[in-house]
Amino acid sequence: MAEGKTESPGPKKRGPYISSVTSRSVNLMIRGVVLFFIGVFLALVLNLLQIQRNVTLFPPDVIASIFSSAWWVPPCCGTASAVIGLLYPCIDRHLGEPHKFKREWSSVMRCVAVFVGINHASAKVDFDNNIQLSLTLAALSIGLWWTFDRSRSGFGLGVGIAFLATLVTQLLVYNGVYQYTSPDFLYVRSWLPCIFFAGGITMGNIGRQLAMVESRLGQY
């Protein structure tokens, strides 16, 4: 009898499902890192505007350079930006309502510019009282959502983000981590939820655009 040839087992190939899962995980990680650094950059720029106007006050020893912020502020904002930016397209996918309104980078950049303008207005524009400023910023924030989002999920997430972020900020100020000048809404400014709402919409738009780029690349 002729002896059969024994073939040495070659390297195992990953199945299509494992490859797909690995690819999605890597893309998710890349998007998270990009969103993190965008959040850190915006935190440094916007916090610098607030400090120059003396809206927020940190202890003197932490204001030492152009970053002019406690060391924990940029990483916290970057982490929150990554979570928000990944959450928006995830919610869209689970609801079965892919967001297709103004899905191009030029629209996303305009959204970022409007958000920076709203934050700048909160620090630079003088109003007779905080109520007028809060109402103006609320109208601008809702206008930002209507112009660049218009989704019910986006509005709901924006409101939830504004509530949670304001609550966390109240707790930080209460514990003496930092403070706001002339607080009129417990320990913070009454317009702060408007800034958080607009920031959530902005990071959600960036996250949705990055997710769309990923889906387009996956088709090739």
Side-chain angles (χ1 to χ4, degrees):
M1 294 179 63
E3 295 182 357
K5 296 182 179 179
T6 59
E7 297 180 357
S8 59
K12 295 183 179 179
K13 295 183 179 181
R14 294 183 300 176
Y17 175 76
I18 297 178
S19 299
S20 176
V21 171
T22 304
S23 178
R24 285 200 301 268
S25 300
V26 171
N27 290 331
L28 191 69
M29 186 179 301
I30 293 174
R31 281 193 285 139
V33 171
V34 172
L35 289 164
F36 175 84
F37 282 107
I38 292 175
V40 168
F41 175 76
L42 288 176
L44 293 173
V45 172
L46 299 179
N47 199 49
L48 182 60
L49 293 175
Q50 299 287 346
I51 291 176
Q52 286 180 342
R53 189 65 173 178
N54 290 327
V55 175
T56 55
L57 297 177
F58 289 92
D61 56 337
V62 301
I63 305 178
S65 65
I66 189 173
F67 298 104
S68 299
S69 174
W71 66 268
W72 51 267
V73 174
C76 288
C77 292
T79 303
S81 299
V83 172
I84 294 170
L86 295 175
L87 184 61
Y88 265 74
C90 181
I91 295 296
D92 292 337
R93 186 165 56 252
H94 281 286
L95 292 177
E97 299 176 357
H99 189 263
K100 298 181 180 179
F101 181 72
K102 291 188 176 181
R103 292 269 56 89
E104 61 272 346
W105 279 112
S106 59
S107 176
V108 173
M109 296 307 297
R110 287 195 298 269
C111 182
V112 173
V114 173
F115 170 60
V116 173
I118 292 174
N119 196 288
H120 187 70
S122 70
K124 294 294 185 180
V125 179
D126 293 320
F127 284 81
D128 293 335
N129 53 64
N130 282 329
I131 295 179
Q132 292 183 359
L133 176 59
S134 299
L135 292 176
T136 300
L137 293 181
L140 291 174
S141 299
I142 294 175
L144 181 142
W145 166 79
W146 180 257
T147 304
F148 301 104
D149 191 313
R150 296 191 186 182
S151 66
R152 290 175 296 178
S153 60
F155 186 86
L157 283 172
V159 172
I161 290 166
F163 174 79
L164 290 176
T166 303
L167 179 62
V168 171
T169 305
Q170 295 274 16
L171 293 175
L172 291 175
V173 177
Y174 176 78
N175 287 283
V177 177
Y178 68 104
Q179 61 179 319
Y180 280 84
T181 57
S182 304
D184 61 320
F185 180 48
L186 296 180
Y187 303 102
V188 301
R189 293 287 189 90
S190 56
W191 45 258
L192 191 62
C194 304
I195 301 298
F196 288 139
F197 176 84
I201 298 297
T202 301
M203 295 310 304
N205 269 338
I206 297 175
R208 282 167 166 167
Q209 189 65 30
L210 290 174
M212 180 169 287
V213 171
E214 174 190 323
S215 63
R216 287 175 178 173
L217 291 175
Q219 295 175 358
Y220 295 99

